[in-house]
């Protein structure tokens, strides 16, 4: 019976690591989405400085985690979100409310997609 212990321990560690990764990704995405929503609310109130600050804070958090996410998530999805951050920032700079709202809504969708992709990969493990 001891010959089953090592493989079982390895599987348990892998599963635990996958679950920890999923939690980290989910917490990161939730924080980013909350920050983007704060930025949207500031833009709705015509507080463009607040919108730029909130979006900048979200991007700083995003940028700090890029190495980890490039290892764990598909690059195409990250590149799409990166492009949406840049476009949202440019619309915040030009204070174009309609375009900013449309682009940040797309950014929120893209960020949530990152979380869903991680959940799908966990389900594939199970």
């Amino acid at each position: 019976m001891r010959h089953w212990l090592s493989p079982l321990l390895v599987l348990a560690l892998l599963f635990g690591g996958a679950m920890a990764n999923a939690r980290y990704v989910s917490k990161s995405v939730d924080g980013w989405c909350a920050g983007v929503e704060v930025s949207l609310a500031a833009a709705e109130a015509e507080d463009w400085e607040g919108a730029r600050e909130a979006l900048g804070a979200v991007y700083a958090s995003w940028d700090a985690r890029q190495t980890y996410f490039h290892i764990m998530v598909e690059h195409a999805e990250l590149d799409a979100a990166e492009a949406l951050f840049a476009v949202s920032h440019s619309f915040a700079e030009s204070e174009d409310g309609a375009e900013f709202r449309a682009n940040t809504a797309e950014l929120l969708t893209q960020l949530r997609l990152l979380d869903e992709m991680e959940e799908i990969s966990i389900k594939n493990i199970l």
Side-chain angles (χ1 to χ4, degrees):
M1 191 67 164
R2 294 181 92 188
H3 63 284
W4 289 97
L5 188 57
S6 293
L8 187 59
L9 180 61
V10 169
L11 285 175
L13 288 173
L14 288 172
F15 181 72
M19 295 305 290
N21 180 61
R23 180 164 164 69
Y24 179 76
V25 169
S26 185
K27 279 184 71 175
S28 296
V29 169
D30 289 347
W32 297 332
C33 287
V36 170
E37 288 169 355
V38 167
S39 180
L40 262 171
E44 289 289 331
E46 297 294 322
D47 176 15
W48 289 103
E49 183 64 32
R52 286 188 293 271
E53 282 181 21
L55 192 60
V58 172
Y59 184 76
S61 174
W62 164 269
D63 194 43
R65 292 174 173 87
Q66 281 304 295
T67 301
Y68 179 81
F69 274 81
H70 271 283
I71 293 168
M72 303 310 290
V73 180
E74 291 199 28
H75 292 265
E77 302 302 328
L78 294 173
D79 292 343
E82 183 78 26
L84 289 168
F85 268 116
V87 173
S88 290
H89 183 71
S90 70
F91 287 136
E93 284 294 323
S94 66
E95 299 182 5
D96 186 341
E99 290 295 328
F100 181 77
R101 282 187 292 280
N103 195 75
T104 51
E106 190 175 341
L107 175 59
L108 283 170
T109 300
Q110 186 66 34
L111 291 173
R112 290 184 180 118
L113 180 62
L114 293 174
D115 192 23
E116 288 176 20
M117 288 178 59
E118 185 58 30
E119 289 174 12
I120 289 169
S121 67
I122 293 298
K123 288 178 183 175
N124 288 337
I125 289 172
L126 299 174

